[in-house]
Amino acid sequence: MSDTVLSIQDASAQMIAAGQMFEMERTTVKGIEMNVWKNAPATMAQVLGMSLNHSAKEFLIYEDQRYTFEEHYRAAATLAQRFIDLGIKKGDRITIASRNLPQWVMSFWGAILSGAVVVPLNAWWTTDELEYGLSDSGTSIAIVDEERFARISPFMDSLPELTTVIVLNDNPKKPLNLAITNSRVAVKSFEDVLGSVDPAQTPPEVPMDTDDDATMFYTSGTTGKPKGAVGTHRNALSNMMNLFFVGQRATLRYGNANLDDDGNPVQGSAMLNIPLFHATGCLATMLVNTASGGKLVLSHHFDPTLALEMIQNEKITQIGGVPAIAMQLLDHPNFADYDTSSIRSVSYGGAPPPPELVKRIRAAFPKAQPGNGYGLTETSAAVALNNGADYIAKPASCGPAVPTCEVAIVPEDFEGDEPSADLPKGPEVRGELWIKGPNVVRGYWNKQEATDKAFTKGWLHSGDIARIDEEGFIFIVDRAKDMIIRGGENVYSVIVEAAIFEHADVADCAVVGVPHPSLGEEVAAVIVLRPGRVIEGEEISRHVAQRLAKFQVPTKVIFRTEPLPRNPQGKVLKRELRDSILD
């Protein structure tokens, strides 16, 4: 690697130049003009075909189950034909509601190859929520594990479009209990549906187009009913290309991190510790590793001790997820006893990370590139990514937008159809972040009013308050609805949380607004301390007062012994937290 590191702008310019793999072009997609990757695959079926370039390598690892890329490909191709035999037609919905299992991944690809729209439902949902998701999506086939099967059994017959339920066995050593009487819905085991797999099986011939619907991920539902964000092949593949671009740009600037001590390439190996029903787990991790030949190591649930054992035994190179995962690993009392030298990347998103986390990552994983990102379900995962030296220099930023994404800072009182050149600009200008690009979904399933409210001429209204500095780096200031207005002053909770995280005794925290009789709202901080630490609330207030203006200092400090409530994407459920304070 050269002593002179290319700037991020120069590296990007080289990579998107005419004739290069990451060349872009301007085109119109469903009436919306946007930048697209000129050389992106046309469909996800092509991506699965690319996986055969790594046919003998291990792809999926779960406990004592191990599958190569070729074994996975043949199983997915077989499942596609089985789904068609069960009556699936192009555009029908196939739901997967299960914990992370190898069969989840096989089912996803089988559904894609059959021409269906895959609906990954939140496996943490209650019975009522699962009923809503299956009904709202109009699912024809539901693929569930045993726990989810028990939840949906009571209402299966009330779903007129549901014809078949396929049950995954997360413990193949134990027989499935599929006993159910007088149901019109066919119930089958995954093994019986798959049957014998022809070692030369190829996918059925199903016509597909880049802009066909392919996925429907439900929004996290922190407010109101979850909405099905309908994604196309182009959306998913644009996100994949965005991530490949950022990875290659880091290699161009800093050298190839995926080399062993002798300079030989190593197979990427990702610890999949976030749910596959989330866009990050599915599109940003599973899809990318399918194309690139990376190994995915799955676990029943995230446990720091088990995760450290997996890193050591499977030579994990990538850790992803939310900041809380990285913090739990680093806080493990026996961290130093495990060999974590294989780690080359520690990245996260989905929740604001404390700026000091990057320093801890650099100290604990000296060969690793730290990274932070920003994205939404509606953007098929990534909008901006910040890694390497850029992240070290600007740890509070999620990075610049990927090249195909256009972003704008829009004031609260904006009334136009789309952002224009005369909007206020500058590093101190704050407003709602709007996003346009080929990774932005087309809208919400059967919810035109919600679609019209969130999308304007292809621009997604993110609901996040942000600023963009002079180099194009995006700083997420807060969720618009989480902003606290205290005595007429705007308090952005992420800024207060970052200050609190600088206290050595704090393991986790969240800042919310609670009612105040004269100020309107006051600032409340809910804090989880590191094990064995005991401090008073006044110490936190003094600590913040040394760093921020007086109006931002918490006047109410609550300590908790249990973890903060979070949704599956790792975001703190602030409404639930606020309600618990007010009870």
Side-chain angles (χ1 to χ4, degrees):
M1 182 178 68
S2 170
D3 292 336
T4 303
V5 176
L6 278 173
S7 71
I8 196 167
Q9 294 83 4
D10 288 345
S12 296
Q14 284 189 25
M15 293 174 64
I16 65 176
Q20 298 301 308
M21 182 175 73
F22 292 102
E23 181 181 354
M24 295 191 303
E25 62 183 358
R26 193 77 172 170
T27 191
T28 300
V29 179
K30 295 185 176 180
I32 305 298
E33 189 176 304
M34 63 181 68
N35 298 319
V36 301
W37 295 114
K38 187 174 181 178
N39 300 314
T43 68
M44 282 195 275
Q46 290 184 11
V47 169
L48 188 65
M50 292 163 57
S51 73
L52 281 180
N53 294 329
H54 315 281
S55 59
K57 293 180 183 177
E58 287 188 324
F59 177 35
L60 301 172
I61 311 295
Y62 175 74
E63 296 181 349
D64 58 355
Q65 299 181 51
R66 309 182 83 90
Y67 298 91
T68 65
F69 278 89
E70 174 138 13
E71 289 169 334
H72 168 263
Y73 177 89
R74 304 303 175 189
T78 301
L79 280 171
Q81 186 58 58
R82 302 286 191 261
F83 292 151
I84 292 172
D85 293 342
L86 288 169
I88 285 295
K89 302 181 296 298
K90 185 175 177 179
D92 287 348
R93 273 74 63 206
I94 294 180
T95 283
I96 310 175
S98 162
R99 68 175 72 257
N100 287 0
L101 295 168
Q103 293 76 18
W104 196 112
V105 180
M106 296 173 187
S107 298
F108 175 92
W109 284 108
I112 289 292
L113 293 176
S114 75
V117 175
V118 188
V119 185
L121 284 189
N122 189 325
W124 295 3
W125 275 359
T126 64
T127 294
D128 288 346
E129 289 169 321
L130 287 170
E131 182 176 14
Y132 164 79
L134 289 166
S135 175
D136 183 72
S137 62
T139 286
S140 299
I141 293 178
I143 301 166
V144 297
D145 59 11
E146 292 178 87
E147 187 175 346
R148 262 45 64 175
F149 177 58
R151 292 184 196 173
I152 72 170
S153 294
F155 63 79
M156 292 191 311
D157 283 343
S158 68
L159 303 173
E161 295 178 80
L162 183 65
T163 63
T164 309
V165 171
I166 300 171
V167 185
L168 309 179
N169 189 347
D170 59 4
N171 184 357
K173 297 176 182 177
K174 291 176 57 180
L176 283 171
N177 179 12
L178 302 182
I180 190 166
T181 59
N182 301 321
S183 175
R184 65 161 185 81
V185 177
V187 177
K188 304 172 182 288
S189 73
F190 177 86
E191 287 73 18
D192 285 345
V193 171
L194 179 62
S196 60
V197 176
D198 185 335
Q201 180 71 47
T202 57
E205 293 187 10
V206 177
M208 295 183 195
D209 183 77
T210 301
D211 294 307
D212 284 344
D213 294 343
T215 61
M216 191 191 304
F217 287 90
Y218 275 78
T219 58
S220 57
T222 50
T223 59
K225 283 278 191 184
K227 302 179 290 292
V230 184
T232 64
H233 289 270
R234 186 191 300 276
N235 294 155
L237 297 172
S238 295
N239 177 73
M240 181 188 78
M241 292 290 288
N242 291 341
L243 295 172
F244 284 158
F245 173 89
V246 172
Q248 289 296 316
R249 185 174 63 189
T251 297
L252 180 61
R253 299 178 70 204
Y254 307 121
N256 192 344
N258 292 316
L259 302 175
D260 62 20
D261 292 339
D262 296 322
N264 300 312
V266 296
Q267 181 187 14
S269 179
M271 185 169 62
L272 188 59
N273 45 31
I274 47 179
L276 282 162
F277 58 73
H278 178 47
T280 300
C282 185
L283 301 182
T285 306
M286 186 272 285
L287 178 65
V288 167
N289 281 275
T290 303
S292 63
K295 180 171 69 174
L296 293 176
V297 183
L298 294 71
S299 60
H300 185 276
H301 61 281
F302 177 74
D303 174 83
T305 300
L306 176 61
L308 287 168
E309 290 174 357
M310 286 167 30
I311 291 170
Q312 178 173 276
N313 297 337
E314 299 291 344
K315 304 301 180 188
I316 300 292
T317 63
Q318 306 163 39
I319 302 172
V322 294
I325 288 174
M327 288 189 282
Q328 287 182 56
L329 290 175
L330 295 173
D331 286 338
H332 194 283
N334 299 323
F335 177 85
D337 296 338
Y338 294 90
D339 180 4
T340 60
S341 60
S342 60
I343 297 296
R344 296 295 189 271
S345 171
V346 181
S347 58
Y348 37 79
E356 56 93 22
L357 181 56
V358 65
K359 300 175 185 176
R360 299 185 65 197
I361 290 171
R362 291 289 289 173
F365 305 106
K367 296 179 182 178
Q369 291 279 8
N372 177 28
Y374 169 78
L376 303 95
T377 302
E378 292 87 343
T379 61
S380 312
V383 171
L385 295 140
N386 193 10
N387 57 19
D390 298 320
Y391 184 34
I392 295 168
K394 300 183 181 187
S397 172
C398 58
V402 294
T404 53
C405 274
E406 299 171 60
V407 294
I409 301 297
V410 178
E412 184 178 357
D413 58 357
F414 180 71
E415 296 182 352
D417 287 336
E418 55 184 325
S420 58
D422 59 359
L423 282 177
K425 291 181 174 61
E428 300 306 317
V429 174
R430 288 171 164 81
E432 185 179 12
L433 184 67
W434 285 23
I435 305 152
K436 184 171 80 167
N439 55 327
V440 175
V441 302
R442 68 170 177 85
Y444 300 121
W445 178 255
N446 288 341
K447 289 182 172 55
Q448 191 59 50
E449 184 178 349
T451 297
D452 292 342
K453 185 176 180 180
F455 300 85
T456 304
K457 291 191 174 180
W459 288 90
L460 168 69
H461 311 180
S462 73
D464 289 322
I465 303 300
R467 66 181 181 88
I468 301 176
D469 73 9
E470 60 282 348
E471 292 184 293
F473 281 69
I474 300 169
F475 293 75
I476 302 299
V477 178
D478 210 343
R479 287 290 299 178
K481 61 179 177 289
D482 286 341
M483 185 178 69
I484 303 161
I485 303 178
R486 181 183 183 274
E489 295 286 350
N490 293 344
V491 178
Y492 298 101
S493 63
V494 69
I495 294 174
V496 184
E497 288 163 357
I500 294 172
F501 269 120
E502 292 181 15
H503 194 291
D505 293 338
V506 173
D508 203 1
C509 77
V511 169
V512 297
V514 295
H516 188 276
S518 59
L519 297 173
E521 288 183 296
E522 63 180 330
V523 182
V526 185
I527 293 173
V528 179
L529 294 174
R530 297 191 187 281
R533 310 295 173 87
V534 178
I535 60 174
E536 299 294 329
E538 290 79 6
E539 181 173 339
I540 293 295
S541 296
R542 288 195 299 269
H543 172 83
V544 176
Q546 293 171 357
R547 291 160 174 78
L548 301 176
K550 184 176 180 180
F551 70 85
Q552 299 177 88
V553 176
T555 52
K556 185 184 291 290
V557 179
I558 301 100
F559 294 101
R560 287 169 60 108
T561 56
E562 63 270 31
L564 299 180
R566 282 185 159 87
N567 68 11
Q569 290 77 48
K571 296 178 183 178
V572 175
L573 297 171
K574 291 200 171 181
R575 184 173 62 181
E576 179 180 322
L577 196 61
R578 186 181 295 108
D579 290 345
S580 71
I581 294 172
L582 298 176
D583 285 345

